[in-house]
Amino acid sequence: LRRDHLSVYNYQRDTTPFLKKIASQKPKELFLFQNAYSNASSTLISLPSILTGASPVQTAADTHSYPIFWEYGKKAAMETFYITSHSLAWNNLNGYFSNSGIDFLFSKETSGESIFNDIGIDDRKTLLAFDSHIKRLASERKNFLGVLHLNTNHFPFFVPGSSKKWEGNEIKDMYDNSVYHFDRLIESMYSSLSESGTLENTVIIITSDHGESLLEHNYLGHIESYYL
């Protein structure tokens, strides 16, 4: 996800109407970080860094020795979850997370759903799992610490027809549609928290594990692109 394609950061296309609405209606509750940088150019390196605080240049052995995000939640007697559209069989991420104190794990493999975009399932199905789980936790009056990991901004940027706001076939149009769809998914997440009664006591952090080159420097994708 690229900051310069989010209208909440003044991008000329209205790609994030929901986030803009929150920024307008609750300006003291939404903080926009102006100098945020991703940890690396691929999920494989960046995600473990985000979840542990380990530097992406450390060795794998060092990274594996760090407590993972959820383990801090367990110490605070919180229910923990990782709900992702991604396949965790990819590059052994399932093994990386297997002993990290997750109470509830939802992924492409556990969902039984087929691939929708890149190596992930339809994010709308993932949001249904999130909604169901959050409402269960709320009904049991349990505090929680978890991660919702979406896939829509990965190439080839497949989104449902209802989220195709720009009809062109240019890469920019396809990517901006994926950002618009992302904004709708965030709105769905927000609604789940609101309906469950947990929104007012929940801190939401939205971040990207890496950006995406949209043919700048003649490159499409992210793994081998290091330009800001």
Side-chain angles (χ1 to χ4, degrees), residues 91-126:
N91 273 297
N92 297 317
L93 282 175
N94 49 358
Y96 181 69
F97 294 135
S98 62
N99 297 309
S100 61
I102 303 173
D103 293 310
F104 179 75
L105 176 63
F106 177 92
S107 67
K108 187 266 180 186
E109 285 72 33
T110 65
S111 72
E113 297 287 341
S114 58
I115 292 292
F116 180 79
N117 181 61
D118 189 49
I119 56 171
I121 66 170
D122 189 331
D123 282 319
R124 293 172 296 177
K125 301 288 182 67
T126 305

Side-chain angles (χ1 to χ4, degrees), residues 12-185:
Q12 68 270 24
R13 284 179 164 179
D14 193 14
T15 53
T16 54
F18 175 71
L19 289 176
K20 281 181 64 179
K21 183 177 74 172
I22 296 300
S24 174
Q25 293 179 351
K26 299 182 178 182
K28 293 184 179 180
E29 296 184 22
L30 180 70
F31 300 90
L32 292 173
F33 293 92
Q34 301 296 332
N35 294 293
Y37 297 89
S38 57
N39 295 293
S41 63
S42 73
T43 299
L44 175 63
I45 300 172
S46 187
L47 188 60
S49 181
I50 290 173
L51 296 177
T52 63
S55 167
V57 301
Q58 290 181 248
T59 66
D62 286 337
T63 301
H64 278 273
S65 70
Y66 275 60
I68 298 181
F69 184 65
W70 298 280
E71 295 176 80
Y72 294 101
K74 298 306 294 179
K75 285 291 185 180
M78 291 180 169
E79 285 285 311
T80 59
F81 63 82
Y82 181 38
I83 299 175
T84 177
S85 299
H86 271 266
S87 165
L88 293 186
W90 175 73
N91 273 297
N92 297 317
L93 282 175
N94 49 358
Y96 181 69
F97 294 135
S98 62
N99 297 309
S100 61
I102 303 173
D103 293 310
F104 179 75
L105 176 63
F106 177 92
S107 67
K108 187 266 180 186
E109 285 72 33
T110 65
S111 72
E113 297 287 341
S114 58
I115 292 292
F116 180 79
N117 181 61
D118 189 49
I119 56 171
I121 66 170
D122 189 331
D123 282 319
R124 293 172 296 177
K125 301 288 182 67
T126 305
L127 262 297
L128 290 176
F130 176 83
D131 180 77
S132 175
H133 191 62
I134 288 297
K135 289 176 178 175
R136 182 185 70 78
L137 293 176
S139 70
E140 297 173 0
R141 299 183 179 277
K142 292 182 176 179
N143 293 327
F144 55 83
L145 181 76
V147 172
L148 174 64
H149 185 192
L150 303 175
N151 183 66
T152 188
N153 304 120
H154 263 239
F155 182 81
F157 318 127
F158 288 147
V159 300
S162 59
S163 288
K164 291 184 178 179
K165 190 172 182 178
W166 294 277
E167 294 297 333
N169 293 319
E170 298 294 328
I171 290 295
K172 175 184 174 181
D173 299 322
M174 296 167 64
Y175 184 76
D176 285 352
N177 283 331
S178 80
V179 177
Y180 179 64
H181 186 52
F182 162 80
D183 186 71
R184 299 181 74 181
L185 295 167

Side-chain angles (χ1 to χ4, degrees), residues 205-226:
I205 300 172
I206 301 173
T207 189
S208 175
D209 55 347
H210 57 75
E212 191 81 356
S213 290
L214 303 176
L215 297 178
E216 295 95 345
H217 305 282
N218 297 314
Y219 187 81
L220 177 63
H222 51 272
I223 295 176
E224 297 175 353
S225 178
Y226 306 105

